[in-house]
């Protein structure tokens, strides 16, 4: 969501003459978009800001702005700790940025703006026109709703992003259409709980929204995140079958395998219900990839509770997992819960859990060896593949893409199957999987699928 917000910031500042630059030294304005989800993320913000103090001394006209969730949470306390910061703006203040920065430019004042509003129209006005990029992207995030009403006891989101508010479907569809024109082929629709999209506002339901996005010409793939297990509906499960562009992957955060802990987390489902939903997904959508988030060391989590989480991992066999050590967040009720787990114990539990999951991730990847997968190529792989033959550099160009089930596959463009001048970014390529590693796969292209998705204007779209 922060990646998406940073793009909105980039867009809204363009008319004021600000352009992205990769060098701090030449920048007139540095905006630090922050995350408060875990303590570690917040610590990083302050150490990064600390490092900017010297630069500000050397360049007193430099404007330093801090936005996002830490800005919303800490407000003017950021200025107290970091006096070289000129602007603190909250999660709902993005639209006011040009005005705030103009004031700082002319008055050389410092400003804190952490006001929140629930009016989504404000937010819509920036999303319409896509960014004009030199190197167009193949995949993009699109926020469909902001805020959250669930109040899980460990979580800061409802406190820093406010109440759940959904965007209008027309506006979302318009934004996706605009992105497709720039070369985007896959969108990930974002919300804290996409299943409740539009409910409060009486708009389209989430599966209806997906069906509308599915109609967009030139778009190949749709993903979404995150779905709350308590609200995962049969309609959404059917959407995986009915909508050809919806990828066969769901991220369904379970957080814990223990009913006692789930209750203390205020997750509003139990282990049995979660497993029932997994069963339904697997029965209705064969081969669906399932990933999850897990927190270890929630206050009061006993060894037995933790074992239940491990057992759930064994029972479900997730494709992959994001696992985190619990950390106290200001305003989140669990910060005041008793029986905190020691840092060492949390570290040990995290390691045990990751080791177990590694076994299942590798196992799932190994099953794919020998099979053919359709990849959407996202770009050149960072890893260079050495060539003995200096003249055939294209022969050893390594591309990277993802399967529908969100697994990263690298492959070498070999002369035998694909002409060397074909730029594969943004194309669907049929790849035979040859090797499985724990976090990626290596494949060999069988063929590019020219007929699969023939696009208007395809020729002009280059990597
Ligand atoms: N401590 C650790 N992990 C957390 N998450 C959210 N809040 C906390 C916290 N206080 C994790 C959850 C969530 C993911 C985005 O971050 O697993 O799904
Ligand atoms: Fe946080 Fe729970 Fe909302 Fe997710 S559903 S953002 S974990 S409060």
């Amino acid at each position: 969501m922060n990646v998406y917000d940073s793009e909105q910031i980039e867009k809204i500042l363009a008319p004021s003459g600000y352009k992205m630059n990769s060098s701090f030294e030449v920048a007139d304005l540095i905006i630090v978009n922050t995350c408060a989800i875990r303590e570690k993320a917040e610590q990083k913000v302050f150490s990064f800001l600390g490092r900017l103090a010297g630069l500000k001394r050397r360049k007193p006209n430099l404007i330093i702005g801090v936005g996002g969730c830490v800005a919303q949470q800490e407000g003017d306390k950021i200025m107290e700790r970091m006096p070289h910061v000129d602007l603190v703006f909250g999660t709902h203040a993005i639209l006011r940025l040009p005005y705030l920065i103009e004031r700082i430019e002319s008055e050389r004042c410092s400003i804190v703006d952490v006001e929140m509003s629930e009016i989504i129209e404000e937010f819509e006005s920036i999303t319409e026109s896509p960014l004009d990029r030199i190197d167009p992207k193949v995949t993009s995030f699109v926020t469909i709703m902001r805020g959250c009403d669930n109040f899980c006891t460990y979580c800061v989101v409802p406190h820093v992003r406010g109440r759940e508010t959904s965007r209008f479907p027309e506006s979302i569809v318009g934004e996706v259409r605009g992105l497709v024109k720039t070369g985007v082929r896959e969108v990930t629709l974002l919300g804290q709980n996409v299943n409740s999209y539009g409910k409060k506002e009486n708009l389209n339901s989430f599966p209806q929204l997906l069906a509308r996005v599915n109609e967009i010409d030139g778009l190949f793939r749709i993903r979404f995140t995150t779905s709350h297990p308590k609200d995962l509906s049969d309609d959404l499960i059917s959407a995986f079958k009915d909508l050809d562009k919806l990828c066969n992957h769901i991220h369904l955060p379970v957080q814990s395998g223990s009913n006692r802990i789930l209750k203390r987390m205020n997750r509003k489902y139990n282990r049995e219900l979660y497993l029932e939903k997994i069963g339904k997904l697997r029965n209705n959508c064969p081969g669906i990839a399932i990933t999850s988030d897990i927190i270890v060391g929630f206050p009061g989590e006993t060894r037995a509770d933790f074992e239940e989480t491990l057992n759930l991992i064994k029972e479900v066999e997730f494709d992959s997992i994001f696992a985190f050590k619990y950390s106290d967040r200001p305003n989140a009720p669990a910060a005041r819960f008793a029986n905190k787990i020691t840092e060492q114990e949390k570290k040990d539990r995290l390691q045990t859990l990751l080791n177990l999951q590694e076994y299942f991730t590798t196992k799932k990847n190994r099953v794919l060896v020998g099979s053919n997968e359709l990849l959407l190529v996202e770009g050149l792989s960072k890893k260079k593949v050495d060539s003995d033959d200096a003249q055939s550099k294209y022969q050893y160009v390594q591309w990277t893409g993802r399967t529908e089930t969100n697994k990263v596959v690298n492959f070498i463009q070999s002369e035998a199957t694909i002409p060397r001048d074909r730029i594969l970014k943004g194309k669907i390529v049929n790849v035979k999987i040859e090797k499985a590693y724990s976090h990626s796969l290596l494949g060999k292209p069988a063929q590019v699928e020219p007929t699969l998705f023939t696009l208007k204007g395809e020729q002009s779209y280059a990597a």
Side-chain angles (χ1 to χ4, degrees):
M1 206 156 260
N2 268 13
V3 171
Y4 181 82
D5 286 350
S6 295
E7 285 173 358
Q8 305 313 308
I9 292 173
E10 196 182 339
K11 273 193 227 170
I12 200 157
L13 289 179
S16 312
Y18 284 103
K19 280 206 189 95
M20 283 290 262
N21 196 300
S22 54
S23 153
F24 292 135
E25 291 295 328
V26 303
D28 300 306
L29 166 70
I30 297 177
I31 293 202
V32 186
N33 193 12
T34 64
C35 173
I37 194 84
R38 286 172 295 276
E39 199 176 8
K40 207 164 143 200
E42 192 175 329
Q43 282 163 356
K44 278 193 201 161
V45 173
F46 287 100
S47 71
F48 180 74
L49 287 175
R51 277 185 268 136
L52 292 181
L55 189 64
K56 176 81 177 185
R57 267 195 301 277
R58 274 185 282 126
K59 292 180 60 178
N61 285 340
L62 168 71
I63 300 174
I64 300 179
V66 182
C69 294
V70 178
Q72 188 67 49
Q73 179 184 286
E74 298 297 309
D76 45 18
K77 278 193 253 155
I78 295 185
M79 298 278 191
E80 285 161 24
R81 266 179 86 174
M82 300 282 158
H84 55 287
V85 168
D86 302 282
L87 169 66
V88 173
F89 63 100
T91 51
H92 290 199
I94 294 180
L95 201 77
R96 297 188 287 275
L97 261 185
Y99 156 76
L100 298 170
I101 287 171
E102 207 183 291
R103 259 191 66 201
I104 297 173
E105 281 169 341
S106 59
E107 297 170 31
R108 286 287 140 191
C109 54
S110 48
I111 304 178
V112 176
D113 178 350
V114 287
E115 212 173 292
M116 285 187 148
S117 90
E118 278 176 29
I119 308 167
I120 202 86
E121 280 88 345
E122 285 185 357
F123 174 65
E124 299 290 16
S125 60
I126 13 173
T127 58
E128 281 156 16
S129 49
L131 272 169
D132 193 11
R133 290 178 185 277
I134 305 166
D135 182 16
K137 292 191 309 173
V138 173
T139 62
S140 183
F141 293 119
V142 173
T143 289
I144 62 165
M145 57 213 290
R146 67 176 186 189
C148 183
D149 290 348
N150 282 312
F151 292 94
C152 303
T153 54
Y154 51 80
C155 186
V156 76
V157 171
H159 309 281
V160 290
R161 288 202 178 251
R163 294 292 64 73
E164 185 183 290
T165 321
S166 296
R167 289 180 60 192
F168 296 111
E170 296 73 25
S171 171
I172 297 165
V173 169
E175 185 175 351
V176 178
R177 280 215 177 92
L179 287 167
V180 168
K181 281 196 196 127
T182 70
V184 166
R185 298 290 170 257
E186 174 184 300
V187 287
T188 303
L189 306 180
L190 298 177
Q192 305 300 344
N193 179 14
V194 292
N195 258 291
S196 54
Y197 169 81
K199 278 195 186 147
K200 258 180 29 185
E201 294 83 359
N202 220 354
L203 301 167
N204 283 169
S205 69
F206 183 58
Q208 283 165 336
L209 175 73
L210 283 173
R212 288 180 71 168
V213 176
N214 195 63
E215 295 297 307
I216 296 174
D217 283 341
L219 183 72
F220 296 171
R221 288 180 169 181
I222 307 168
R223 300 184 188 277
F224 63 82
T225 195
T226 291
S227 197
H228 196 303
K230 78 176 162 63
D231 297 318
L232 176 66
S233 65
D234 289 350
D235 279 355
L236 184 59
I237 296 176
S238 302
F240 283 107
K241 275 189 299 184
D242 302 340
L243 304 177
D244 59 332
K245 295 179 185 174
L246 184 60
C247 290
N248 213 13
H249 166 222
I250 187 163
H251 185 64
L252 200 61
V254 64
Q255 313 296 3
S256 169
S258 150
N259 282 341
R260 206 177 65 82
I261 296 298
L262 286 171
K263 198 160 182 107
R264 283 164 64 86
M265 286 177 163
N266 192 30
R267 288 291 288 175
K268 301 185 188 106
Y269 56 84
N270 57 22
R271 179 192 175 99
E272 291 70 31
L273 189 86
Y274 186 86
L275 291 172
E276 192 189 309
K277 303 251 170 170
I278 298 287
K280 260 192 188 167
L281 278 162
R282 292 225 160 108
N283 282 338
N284 287 283
C285 326
I288 191 164
I290 302 176
T291 57
S292 200
D293 288 349
I294 290 180
I295 298 177
V296 299
F298 186 79
E301 183 189 73
T302 61
R303 197 66 218 177
D305 292 319
F306 177 61
E307 295 286 337
E308 290 201 48
T309 300
L310 297 178
N311 284 337
L312 182 119
I313 292 175
K314 288 182 202 155
E315 202 167 333
V316 177
E317 301 200 4
F318 293 106
D319 288 74
S320 68
I321 272 179
F322 295 107
F324 313 99
K325 285 183 287 177
Y326 166 82
S327 60
D328 282 340
R329 305 314 300 130
N331 302 320
R336 298 183 296 277
F337 286 7
N339 302 325
K340 294 277 157 61
I341 310 300
T342 64
E343 200 50 38
Q344 188 58 47
E345 184 61 28
K346 284 194 272 189
K347 212 169 143 193
D348 293 347
R349 288 184 192 179
L350 182 66
Q351 203 48 57
T352 309
L353 190 148
L354 291 175
N355 290 346
L356 175 66
Q357 180 55 38
E358 178 105 1
Y359 167 79
F360 290 111
T361 305
T362 313
K363 179 176 156 188
K364 296 247 162 183
N365 283 350
R366 284 210 187 115
V367 169
L368 295 176
V369 174
S371 70
N372 277 49
E373 290 284 326
L374 292 178
L375 304 189
L376 173 60
V377 181
E378 290 174 18
L380 291 173
S381 144
K382 287 194 187 83
K383 201 170 142 226
K384 293 265 178 309
V385 181
D386 289 334
S387 155
D388 297 335
D389 174 2
Q391 286 180 340
S392 59
K393 63 177 174 134
Y394 287 110
Q395 208 164 343
Y396 291 87
V397 158
Q398 187 168 237
W399 296 94
T400 187
R402 275 169 205 267
T403 63
E404 219 195 290
T405 50
N406 211 28
K407 295 186 200 298
V408 174
V409 183
N410 297 309
F411 67 92
I412 292 166
Q413 182 171 2
S414 79
E415 185 63 8
T417 43
I418 305 172
R420 57 170 70 169
D421 58 351
R422 277 296 302 256
I423 290 163
L424 300 183
K425 185 174 166 185
K427 301 282 190 302
I428 299 279
V429 178
N430 186 346
V431 168
K432 182 159 189 167
I433 307 297
E434 293 192 320
K435 273 197 185 136
Y437 304 106
S438 52
H439 297 286
S440 68
L441 298 153
L442 191 71
K444 193 174 179 184
Q447 63 179 128
V448 183
E449 299 276 310
T451 49
L452 196 63
F453 300 108
T454 315
L455 293 177
K456 285 187 207 124
E458 189 181 49
Q459 299 307 325
S460 61
Y461 173 56

